[in-house]
Amino acid sequence: MRKLAVLAFLGSAFFARAQDSPQSLLDQALRLADKYNWVDTRDLFTRAEEGFRISGDARKAFYARLGRLRSTMEERSLPALSAELEELLADPIILADAQLRLFALIVKGDVDGELDTDSAKRDWLAVRDLADRTANARWKNRANGELGFQAFLEGDVTGARQLVAGALLGAVASGDRPAQARFMGAIGTGLSFTGIYSEALSYLDRALAIAAADPEMGYQFVVLDGKVSALKGLGRTAEALKLAEELAARARADGKNVKLCQSLIRLARLAREQKDDQRAMDLLSEAILLAEKGDFPRLLASAQFLMIETYRTTGDLNKAGEMVANVANATRNSGDLYLIPDRLRTLALLKMDLGEYEEANQLLAEATDYVDAMLANSPNPRAKAGLVIAMSTIYSDHAGLLLRHFKDPAKAYDVIERARGRTLTDQLRSSSSATGNPSLEKEFTALRLKIASARSPAQIRQVRNDLFIRELGRWLDSTPPLANASESGGPVPLERLQGLLARDHVVLEYVLGKPHSYCLVLTKDGVSFFELTDGETINDLAFQYVEGLKKQQVGTALSKRLFAELLSKVPNLQSARRLTIVADGQLHLLPFDTLTDPRGQYLVATHTTYVVPSASALFALEAESRPKVAAQSFLGIGGVPYNQDALRVALTRGYEAGSLGNLPGSEDEVITAAGLAKTKGSTTLLVGTKATEGAFKGADLARRSVIHLAVHGVANTERPDSAALILLSDAAAREDGLLQFSEVLQLRLTARLVVLSACDTAVGRLQGQDGAATLSRAFLLAGARSVVSTLWAVDDTVSAFLMKRFYQGVVAGKDAAIALTQAKRDVIRTFGAKALPYHWGGFVLEGAAKPI
């Protein structure tokens, strides 16, 4: 027995020594480091380095030293650490060993990533090149993702999206789960930065789920920090605050000063949201001290700019002014192009508070120039829209400054039009429809069909996961530059726009802001403006009013108040007959012609209104050359029998089935429209069981001058790509019956008119100066010249009546805007007091208003 005990003791001692051997320690540390878990490697690398130093193994000692430096980087001066790593890279041992050099470059890339974009980019390019030469596919793919982060900071949003999404797809294909979590988290954080919070949260939660399945991946500071931002954006402030406090406590306990600094800044932002400026300043003071001690330049700048904003809020302009000199030049010289515009805006707002308006104007002009440069390098519409969302307030603040303090509406027009409806305006100037990847959309449809036929929750989850991953392919779309890219982005000159306008035609371009909003008034004789109340008040009023209309309330008091705010100050309003609205904020969802003047008369009774994304888009749609329709022909689709198969497909995609009953009047509506249209070419009707998505897509759409869809529509204000028109599925054509936003973009249209007689087709996510992401906008992007759509669920009977009168007006030679206005007047005359704004006010025309 004693002999067995001795043997057991010796065995355990030997095992312990093996576990504590330098090689074992190094192997453990490298395994954790490969999973981005540097936090738990510090002791392992330190002990391994000491062991290899004693044994005289210089090569492995270098491995351990590099790992130790990386694991303790947040406790050191980052510039000094970067310089030390640069020296180590010149060591003969590292120069002669490709794998060791690769590890050294990875460590340096991480360090420089907190310091300087140019240096980090050089590091990761070197990693990618060396990984390629040594056939290390794992790190070649990872390096591409890291280069995507640097591209983002350089302002190359399209390149960043492609690199990071490509790296994530590569990680999925190779089974590299740590990289999957890292790049999913990065995409989620980027989406949150551009205000797409719900989609951001789905990426972040998936990243956290991957990490949770492997404890060795450690605590996910970066992903959780992104989740704090997404939760805050979704209004889940208590959850965001709790998580941010947890992050700060964990970083403090682990001695991770970079993470702690980040967490303190995040907590300060939340404190400002809660109007607790004193706590925000206390948190920022600690963050600034940490950043200065560790030479964390990016975090120092972030903390200082937030401190300036806090001083502004509390009215301490002197302290704010003292900080400006220290940070202004550092901002311009940082190389982080993406971060510069918003920081210049912060400086400009301070200058405005100090009454230094000319300096504020110069700073905002510089900020918009930076954004314009980034937009010019973003041919991908999705990337461009994301940029405009993130930078929208820069343009509205600049326009507000020019109007309030310089009384210069012409210059304000030039500024705001550089961002307004930018995605569509640039697309129109390219004289082509939206680009994309049709084969990718086919893959999505096939996966959606699999969901519909799945027989178990596990199958549905698997297919949805596949669909989620494949949707990243949209990020890889390398849209070519616009055909006349040299002209893109600049507003149409005022004099050219004025030449388009008739004497009774007024363009009203709204600019909502804080503390004041404005309306630019564009006429044949020039441009003027008037001031409105703050944007938050206008948005709240518009939202309340529309919600009331949807409940079939008249809302007279709100209607009159909105009329007084938005229209009563328009010069010579009574002599104008045509109003073109360029909306902002919730005004995108406001039916202007339902507003009532002081006498209680609807605007529709006296004026014709329609909407456009921008004044430049109006000019492109109505004045510039467009592709000619090859044949005058009508396509109508309606009378869809929404059977159980159609409802099941809709349900599996997350749509509400309770509101998807049959539309009894829709078949008669399209038949009547076809008879009235009397096109010279062919007429095609897809009704009943013929109303499939495959039949619609195969109906020679490029040769249709008028397209009319009387079907169910579903908006999605969080995920615009999921907004859809609901048709019948077509197994033979591999179509699921859901004509989604992203699929509409693939259509090639030359139609003069598209009528979406379906619910909520003018509703979508508000995207700052770029406008609303609606199904109506998707058809314009696909090449249609004008689209009639709806702001809410429309009444089937009234819709049929209104559409009949609309087409009668179109056939009589009236333009689409006048025809729609007169059809609404006919509804009011015919149905009298029963014709509530709910019944007719939801129909809007977007785009050109020339005779069809």
Side-chain angles (χ1 to χ4, degrees):
M1 181 68 77
R2 291 183 61 192
K3 184 176 181 181
L4 287 174
V6 171
L7 289 173
F9 173 77
L10 291 173
S12 62
F14 174 79
F15 180 75
R17 286 196 298 274
Q19 287 289 88
D20 289 340
S21 70
Q23 186 60 55
S24 175
L25 293 168
L26 181 61
D27 288 343
Q28 292 178 62
L30 290 174
R31 186 176 69 251
L32 293 174
D34 188 64
K35 297 180 179 183
Y36 300 104
N37 181 8
W38 293 97
V39 173
D40 295 333
T41 64
R42 175 179 178 168
D43 182 59
L44 296 169
F45 276 128
T46 301
R47 291 163 59 197
E49 182 183 9
E50 178 65 15
F52 287 127
R53 185 185 63 78
I54 293 172
S55 67
D57 191 332
R59 175 181 179 274
K60 290 181 179 177
F62 263 128
Y63 257 117
R65 179 182 177 185
L66 290 165
R68 175 179 58 79
L69 292 175
R70 171 61 182 85
S71 66
T72 59
M73 64 176 273
E74 299 189 34
E75 304 163 30
R76 300 167 57 96
S77 164
L78 292 182
L81 179 55
S82 178
E84 182 179 346
L85 289 167
E86 189 69 39
E87 289 182 14
L88 289 176
L89 280 164
D91 189 281
I93 294 176
I94 293 181
L95 285 172
D97 189 318
Q99 294 305 317
L100 180 57
R101 184 169 182 79
L102 181 68
F103 186 60
L105 287 167
I106 291 167
V107 170
K108 190 167 187 296
D110 283 347
V111 173
D112 287 344
E114 296 293 337
L115 285 171
D116 174 68
T117 302
D118 288 339
S119 297
K121 185 176 179 179
R122 284 194 299 271
D123 297 336
W124 288 111
L125 284 170
V127 170
R128 186 173 68 179
D129 178 62
L130 186 54
D132 185 40
R133 287 190 280 112
T134 57
N136 190 329
R138 185 182 185 87
W139 271 104
K140 179 181 178 182
N141 182 66
R142 289 182 174 192
N144 275 327
E146 302 293 336
L147 286 167
F149 301 159
Q150 306 312 314
F152 179 83
L153 290 169
E154 288 181 322
D156 182 5
V157 178
T158 296
R161 288 167 66 100
Q162 292 173 348
L163 284 165
V164 177
L168 176 51
L169 287 172
V172 171
S174 66
D176 184 358
R177 293 185 67 77
Q180 290 175 35
R182 180 167 177 79
F183 297 129
M184 273 191 189
I187 290 172
T189 300
L191 288 169
S192 181
F193 195 88
T194 56
I196 308 173
Y197 302 115
S198 179
E199 194 170 342
L201 194 59
S202 67
Y203 276 95
L204 293 161
D205 282 340
R206 282 173 179 265
L208 291 170
I210 291 170
D214 182 356
E216 286 195 341
M217 289 175 64
Y219 191 75
Q220 298 294 303
F221 276 105
V222 176
V223 181
L224 288 167
D225 184 64
K227 186 169 182 176
V228 172
S229 176
L231 290 171
K232 173 179 170 289
L234 290 169
R236 294 160 61 177
T237 308
E239 293 174 73
L241 183 59
K242 181 180 178 182
L243 182 54
E245 295 280 11
E246 176 192 313
L247 285 170
R250 183 66 180 257
R252 199 182 297 277
D254 290 346
K256 297 302 177 185
N257 290 335
V258 170
K259 302 297 188 299
L260 178 57
C261 195
Q262 290 170 338
S263 299
L264 292 170
I265 293 169
R266 184 71 68 191
L267 281 169
R269 293 189 187 281
L270 289 166
R272 281 176 51 79
E273 285 281 317
Q274 297 178 314
K275 312 298 182 186
D276 191 347
D277 290 320
Q278 184 57 55
R279 182 163 191 255
M281 286 190 284
D282 292 342
L283 291 163
L284 290 170
S285 295
E286 184 181 357
I288 289 170
L289 287 174
L290 276 173
E292 288 176 338
K293 180 180 178 181
D295 282 331
F296 310 151
R298 285 199 177 117
L299 292 173
L300 178 61
S302 295
Q304 288 173 327
F305 273 97
L306 191 55
M307 184 70 93
I308 289 173
E309 290 182 26
T310 309
Y311 282 142
R312 284 187 60 243
T313 302
T314 58
D316 196 340
L317 302 183
N318 289 331
K319 285 187 177 178
E322 289 171 5
M323 296 189 71
V324 168
N326 296 326
V327 298
N329 290 331
T331 293
R332 294 185 179 91
N333 297 331
S334 67
D336 297 343
L337 186 62
Y338 193 91
L339 303 178
I340 292 174
D342 191 56
R343 290 178 176 172
L344 291 175
R345 170 183 171 267
T346 297
L347 298 178
L349 293 177
L350 175 60
K351 294 294 183 181
M352 290 166 64
D353 290 341
L354 295 168
E356 299 170 6
Y357 301 120
E358 186 53 51
E359 289 185 51
N361 181 39
Q362 292 173 8
L363 286 165
L364 286 170
E366 186 179 357
T368 53
D369 285 344
Y370 274 111
V371 181
D372 287 344
M374 288 188 278
L375 287 169
N377 291 322
S378 297
N380 182 293
R382 296 172 188 276
K384 186 173 294 182
L387 255 177
V388 175
I389 293 170
M391 306 294 181
S392 282
T393 53
I394 295 170
Y395 290 91
S396 56
D397 285 342
H398 194 190
L401 171 67
L402 290 165
L403 293 170
R404 184 165 182 80
H405 295 290
F406 292 91
K407 313 299 180 186
D408 191 343
K411 184 62 178 175
Y413 163 85
D414 182 74
V415 167
I416 203 68
E417 278 287 312
R418 286 155 73 179
R420 274 286 157 90
R422 180 65 180 263
T423 304
L424 177 60
T425 303
D426 282 356
Q427 196 67 50
L428 290 170
R429 287 170 168 164
S430 73
S431 299
S432 66
S433 57
T435 57
N437 188 337
S439 63
L440 189 62
E441 296 301 327
K442 283 286 187 183
E443 289 184 43
F444 296 151
T445 299
L447 287 169
R448 290 195 293 265
L449 285 170
K450 281 187 178 181
I451 291 177
S453 61
R455 292 292 179 263
S456 72
Q459 286 179 317
I460 291 175
R461 283 195 300 272
Q462 181 57 52
V463 179
R464 281 185 172 162
N465 185 63
D466 292 343
L467 185 61
F468 179 86
I469 295 300
R470 289 306 300 137
E471 284 179 343
L472 287 167
R474 292 197 179 113
W475 290 47
L476 300 178
D477 175 29
S478 53
T479 307
L482 300 177
N484 52 346
S486 61
E487 299 179 9
S488 69
V492 61
L494 266 173
E495 57 273 16
R496 295 187 70 190
L497 179 65
Q498 290 169 303
L500 176 71
L501 303 178
R503 285 287 172 192
D504 62 352
H505 188 174
V506 178
V507 178
L508 301 176
E509 183 152 7
Y510 292 91
V511 183
L512 303 189
K514 184 179 180 180
H516 303 283
S517 302
Y518 304 90
C519 178
L520 291 169
V521 182
L522 310 170
T523 68
K524 192 168 189 67
D525 295 324
V527 56
S528 59
F529 76 99
F530 59 89
E531 189 174 299
L532 310 170
T533 190
D534 68 280
E536 185 175 347
T537 298
I538 293 173
N539 281 328
D540 287 346
L541 289 172
F543 178 80
Q544 292 175 38
Y545 176 62
V546 172
E547 288 302 297
L549 291 185
K550 291 178 182 178
K551 298 172 184 175
Q552 301 193 36
Q553 299 170 0
V554 177
T556 304
L558 273 176
S559 178
K560 288 185 176 181
R561 185 174 174 185
L562 283 164
F563 183 98
E565 184 66 45
L566 300 173
L567 296 168
S568 64
K569 299 177 187 177
V570 175
N572 303 314
L573 178 63
Q574 296 307 315
S575 61
R577 286 294 172 263
R578 181 187 294 267
L579 303 178
T580 300
I581 308 297
V582 183
D584 194 8
Q586 287 289 333
L587 299 185
H588 284 287
L589 309 179
L590 178 70
F592 273 77
D593 53 9
T594 67
L595 302 184
T596 50
D597 65 18
R599 298 171 297 167
Q601 188 174 43
Y602 292 122
L603 183 66
V604 73
T606 55
H607 293 77
T608 292
T609 65
Y610 64 106
V611 299
V612 292
S614 67
S616 297
L618 170 67
F619 186 85
L621 285 163
E622 295 202 358
E624 295 181 348
S625 61
R626 303 279 290 149
K628 295 186 180 299
V629 181
Q632 303 295 306
S633 62
F634 177 94
L635 171 64
I637 185 165
V640 182
Y642 289 105
N643 54 31
Q644 290 304 308
D645 287 339
L647 296 180
R648 187 173 68 253
V649 170
L651 277 170
T652 56
R653 293 296 293 138
Y655 300 112
E656 295 286 341
S659 60
L660 299 182
N662 289 335
L663 301 171
S666 62
E667 182 172 348
D668 289 340
E669 180 180 319
V670 295
I671 292 173
T672 300
L676 290 169
K678 299 176 182 177
T679 53
K680 297 176 182 177
S682 64
T683 293
T684 302
L685 293 178
L686 301 175
V687 296
T689 57
K690 295 180 180 179
T692 68
E693 184 182 0
F696 174 75
K697 289 182 176 178
D700 202 9
L701 296 177
R703 296 172 62 84
R704 304 293 178 173
S705 55
V706 178
I707 299 173
H708 187 111
L709 296 103
V711 298
H712 275 302
V714 184
N716 194 316
T717 56
E718 294 182 348
R719 296 171 180 263
D721 280 337
S722 295
L725 297 172
I726 302 178
L727 312 176
L728 294 180
S729 61
D730 186 344
R734 300 185 68 193
E735 299 290 1
D736 62 357
L738 302 177
L739 182 63
Q740 293 190 309
F741 183 101
S742 53
E743 292 177 281
V744 174
L745 296 180
Q746 310 304 318
L747 305 178
R748 297 295 180 265
L749 306 179
T750 57
R752 297 175 180 177
L753 173 67
V754 172
V755 177
L756 303 178
S757 185
C759 303
D760 298 321
T761 47
V763 177
R765 185 174 68 205
L766 300 179
Q767 301 192 140
Q769 300 301 336
D770 205 45
T774 65
L775 285 167
S776 170
R777 187 66 62 88
F779 275 90
L780 289 172
L781 281 164
R785 195 168 69 178
S786 60
V787 181
V788 174
S789 54
T790 61
L791 289 165
W792 51 72
V794 294
D795 180 272
D796 192 32
T797 303
V798 177
S799 172
F801 178 90
L802 187 145
M803 281 295 121
K804 180 177 180 180
R805 297 303 176 92
F806 169 70
Y807 277 106
Q808 287 173 339
V810 169
V811 172
K814 296 169 183 171
D815 68 48
I818 291 176
L820 184 60
T821 298
Q822 293 189 348
K824 292 179 180 182
R825 292 172 183 169
D826 286 345
V827 170
I828 295 170
R829 276 194 297 268
T830 302
F831 294 96
K834 294 181 180 179
L836 303 176
Y838 162 80
H839 293 108
W840 51 267
F843 290 92
V844 293
L845 175 74
E846 182 175 22
K850 299 177 76 172
I852 305 300

